[in-house]
Amino acid sequence: MTTIYDIEALEEIRSRNAVQPHRMKLFRNALFKSSNDWKDALAVLPEEVRADFDEHITFQCLEMAERHDSEIDQASKLIFKTHDGHLIESVVLRPKSGRISICISSQVGCACYCSFCATGKMGFTRNLTVAEILDQITQANRMLKPEGRSIRNVVFMGMGEPLLNTDFVFQSLEMMMDPKLYDLAASRITVSTVGIPNAMEEFTSTYPDVHLALSLHSAVQEVRQRMMPQARVYPLEQIRETLVAASRHGKVMIEYLMLAGVNDRPEDLQALEEYLQGIPVHINIIPFNEYPGSNLRGTPEAERTQFADHLKASGFNVTLRYSLGSDIAAACGQLVQHKQKESRT
Ligand code: SAH
């Protein structure tokens, strides 16, 4: 399947039809910058070449299967179906600041099996291709067009572990930042990882301006292992060295999901402070999004605030994240899981 994301194939068709480069630029802008429909984008090309493009290029590689708009905040959850019938999800967030963000998936399912994550319960199916990663953004932009908005920030915090799909994730980063395509600034993109040291190093040296987020969730090795099996392979000590190196390029975001009685005790706070001492980080305290089938409970808000206050008092940069789109099951993998259950019954 040749998609609009296959720039070499597009160039080949351009050249065999002798389309002027400036026309091609207008065509690319229509697709990637103005988020036009296929017909409108084709209309930019000379009439006699449209059929060739139409016949050989697939405009859309994901099918938008469902759209859920949150009633309590401005989030939209999108469920996409891949050509081989798998479901993946993206969440569009419309914060009051006006900077529209999209949380995208990088894999179908996930091989990391974090105890608290709905995607982990599905197991791993396959990596998403470059086209499937980018199509989430293009289709979200098309959805936002009537609102006069477009995606300004991209975070790899949907389904999957982006640093276990580095080939396609890195290629998609290149295309997101390409001035001829999406033209997104590196500083508007965040890649979130469970902590795969060699891939983190490659990522930060290749893309020093793209933000890195580490899902730390605990600075106690034994607790982290229980929450994230991947922690057995890459112990906290090794990840710390990588963090120190990564932070030379800028602040790293540390994600800390708070689970009652698991990682919210005084000793957890102390371990976290010691672990991050001296590294320029921004800590994001995340509430647990509960979902059916999980018996874990989130730390209540008052205690999360207290935990954050202690960190602030020790000089750390801290943000308390509130749950976005909780009425539409916006946390990683939840909606797809829900839908898979529905289709089984
Ligand atoms: N694999 C990557 C990116 C996907 S998960 C990573 O782990 O960072 C994105 C973030 O959502 C991670 O910080 C993850 O720990 C968090 N998350 C997963 N399930 C959650 C849940 N039920 N409630 C709140 N956050 C969750």
Side-chain angles (χ1 to χ4, degrees), residues 116-117 156-158 160-161 192-194 215 217 255 257 287-289:
F116 45 82
C117 178
F156 281 85
M157 290 189 188
E161 168 50 46
S192 177
T193 179
V194 293
S215 295
H217 305 327
E255 289 160 281
L257 162 70
F288 176 56
N289 259 308

Side-chain angles (χ1 to χ4, degrees), residues 28 49 57 89 112 154 182 210 242 244 251 272 305 324:
R28 273 196 312 265
V49 309
I57 303 283
E89 58 193 48
C112 293
V154 176
Y182 297 88
V210 177
T242 315
V244 171
K251 247 184 212 141
L272 182 62
T305 310
L324 275 166

